[in-house]
Amino acid sequence: MVEPVGNHYIVARPVYSENSFDEEHEKLHRYHKNFWDNLKLYFRCSRQKVKKIALGLFPIVSWLPAYRFREWILSDIISGINTGLVSVLWLVRVEGGRWLQPATHTSPPRCLSLQVLRSPFCLSVVVRLVPDSSTGNGTSTNMSIINEERVMVAASVTFLSGIFQLLLGILQFGFIVIYLSHSLISGFTTAAAIHVVVSQLKFMLQLSVPGFNKPFGIIYTLESVFSQITDTNIADLITSLLVLLIVFAVKELNDRYKAKLPTPIPIELIVTVLAALISYFVNFEERFNVAVVGKLEEGFQAPVAPDVGILQKCIGDGISIAIVGFAVAFSVAKVYSIKHDYPIDGNQELIAFGLGNIVGGSFKGFASSTALSRSGVQESTGGKTQIAGIISAFIVLIVILAIGFLLAPLQKSVLAALALGNLKGMLMQFKEVGVLWRKDKYDCVIWVVTFLAAVFLGLDIGLATAVAFELLTVVIRSQIPSCTVLANVGRSNIYRNRKDYTDIYEPEGVKIFRCSSPIFFANIEFFKEKLITAVGFNPLRVLRKRNKALRKIRKMLKKGELQVTPKGLICMANQTHESDEELDNNRIEELDQPTNMTDLPIRINWGSDLPPGITVPQVNIHSIVLDFSAVSFLDFSAMRVLQKTLKEFIRIDIDIYIAGAHEGFLEKLERCAFFDEEIKPSMFFLSIHDAVLHILLKKDIASSPKLKLTEKGTNKDCIINTSNGLRSRENRVSLQ
């Protein structure tokens, strides 16, 4: 019963151990599902499950009817046009635009496929399987044949990665994204923004910089840029800087007046149209030798079947591209999902990427990943749903099939500047380093390591390195758990770290020890060391010393060197000094057994004076309470070590109590044969306070002047009043 008294409350109940609580309160026996039950449930068919699967595969059915046409359509159109024009930049980077693909849209509004578009991600496989020195038919070195081979490799790898992604999505492996923490994603996307900045330098300066798709490639790229810096085309540089200035200024206006504007000013569209017109009428290409988009190859390549021979050579590459490409794209999408507060389904996105790559690979396309610049354009220009992505893809389609010639005079430096102008949000994530350092240094280190790894090792290797490092920090943190000694605060039922408060009470002879993490094979030894440090002695050492002392006492009694008197043992003669090795007598295992005094004429009190020459470590506690309220699990290996450690304490007459263990903890211990004659279920209590009150009553502290027990009613109903001891004005222990 709980009685509120002002801003206090009084709880009247018995002191509960786990056993006594279960005896008084009937517990329901529930059936817990096992692996096979969950497997059957997963494959069971129902109307609700079919509906869920259908909505997962075709989410347009759920979000399109809820589309707010008047509010969103203008923003989606403008965003789609802007993103489509920026996407045209890729048309001039690969031969004939054949590797450009429209986005695949399968997710709910404002989801991954909306924000994250396509970017070549399998160049390393292409270059490895078909290097520049490769020959087309064994003798020819014709570059067109080499290019055709590279196209087939890219298409085959894309198709293979799509198959793997589709399978992973069907098998519900989207959970892999849970290993991408916010700190990792922030550091990674910031590094990706740096890569985009560096990749656009050659277009802004009009330099011939080769691609370095390998670790430290960014350094080689910068080295190549600065080695040719004197060859910079001034007209391209001035144009790109001017475009950047205009874009930044207009975007600041959009942010400042976004509440008043019906839709953000489409500065990318305006700049693209004006730049193309100016370049055409002023004839920039001939007058200033600037690099322009030029004539684009029209139409699409015919679909082809993947090359089986190539598939056999790049199975490993296909798996890695499938996972890394998806993880990279998902990490960028996560940034926008957090910013705009919408969910992302990893399994759904795996299926979307898989289907997109299968179709794209059939049309000689690159594997899908993220295009950070276009994602930034689509988000910053107000895109609301996949309608913007559809319009973007439609713009690219129109350019490829019909009006590509209109973009021919457009400077490449303009498109590069537009791409950079939308990276401000990503680059501003640098500010998170200082915030993370003040709040959580582990997360700050993860951010920095992820950023450096992604910048210098590349996005694919960098992401793998970052995830491995993040998991390592989890292992380190769980391997070195937070262990503290608790004390009663405020003479109530509240227990906190004794180092943090002044008004504390520690029952004499009682240690309360808390472990705030799971206990498993990797940290059980650390837990044991911390517990030994907290109590101030090693129980195994004390046990062995006591057993050695008993051996020595038996020998002295047998030789007549000791005599039993009412006052205890008295030394009658000079005893023979024996070394510990002689006392061990090659029976070291016997020293670890419980002390046995049944054959002695007197029971040895280890706290009183022992015969001269016999010493054992002093033990000044009689009870240990282990707070397991934060221990989520205990594996079998740790359980064996914990069992052995508890027995060592019990064998030197120290009572062990475990408090706050979660439901099912005892059941698991029983299944694993944790209990025996020494370790019993009765040592488990509902809370620390229950265990402490039980200890006080058991040790007959009623005889102490510090604590007076006044029995009322039955022998189980009592009021504990204290002046200096454990109290909360009036702690009632009652069966009410």
Side-chain angles (χ1 to χ4, degrees), residues 155-272:
S156 300
V157 174
T158 297
F159 184 87
L160 186 61
S161 66
I163 294 293
F164 286 128
Q165 287 173 331
L166 182 61
L167 290 176
L168 290 174
I170 293 174
L171 297 176
Q172 303 291 292
F173 268 78
F175 68 86
I176 60 176
V177 297
I178 66 175
Y179 298 105
L180 303 177
S181 69
H182 175 73
S183 301
L184 184 147
I185 290 172
S186 177
F188 178 81
T189 51
T190 307
I194 296 296
H195 276 283
V196 173
V197 171
V198 173
S199 68
Q200 304 304 311
L201 290 178
K202 63 180 180 180
F203 297 103
M204 296 175 65
L205 306 176
Q206 200 197 131
L207 300 176
S208 178
V209 179
F212 297 96
N213 191 24
K214 58 183 179 180
F216 301 102
I218 192 170
I219 295 179
Y220 296 116
T221 301
L222 290 173
E223 180 185 15
S224 179
V225 168
F226 286 110
S227 65
Q228 306 175 53
I229 198 70
T230 55
D231 299 330
T232 299
N233 187 296
I234 303 301
D236 269 326
L237 177 60
I238 294 175
T239 301
S240 57
L241 293 178
L242 184 62
V243 170
L244 271 177
L245 180 63
I246 295 172
V247 169
F248 280 139
V250 175
K251 286 190 175 295
E252 285 296 322
L253 292 175
N254 284 338
D255 290 338
R256 181 170 299 184
Y257 300 104
K258 60 183 178 182
K260 299 180 180 180
L261 293 173
T263 185
I265 299 174
I267 187 60
E268 289 85 2
L269 174 60
I270 296 173
V271 167
T272 302

Side-chain angles (χ1 to χ4, degrees), residues 332-351:
V332 177
K334 191 70 175 177
V335 174
Y336 295 114
S337 72
I338 294 173
K339 180 177 180 180
H340 297 287
D341 190 24
Y342 60 86
I344 303 178
D345 186 343
N347 296 314
Q348 183 175 292
E349 297 307 328
L350 272 171
I351 294 174

Side-chain angles (χ1 to χ4, degrees), residues 132 134-137 139-149:
D132 289 335
S134 174
T135 59
N137 53 13
T139 58
S140 175
T141 58
N142 189 296
M143 282 303 299
S144 63
I145 298 178
I146 294 177
N147 288 336
E148 286 298 325
E149 290 181 356

Side-chain angles (χ1 to χ4, degrees), residues 483-487 489 495-501 504 514:
C483 298
T484 54
V485 176
L486 306 182
V489 179
Y495 293 82
R496 294 290 186 268
N497 190 335
R498 65 178 182 179
K499 296 180 180 180
D500 295 337
Y501 298 88
I504 64 172
R514 169 180 289 169

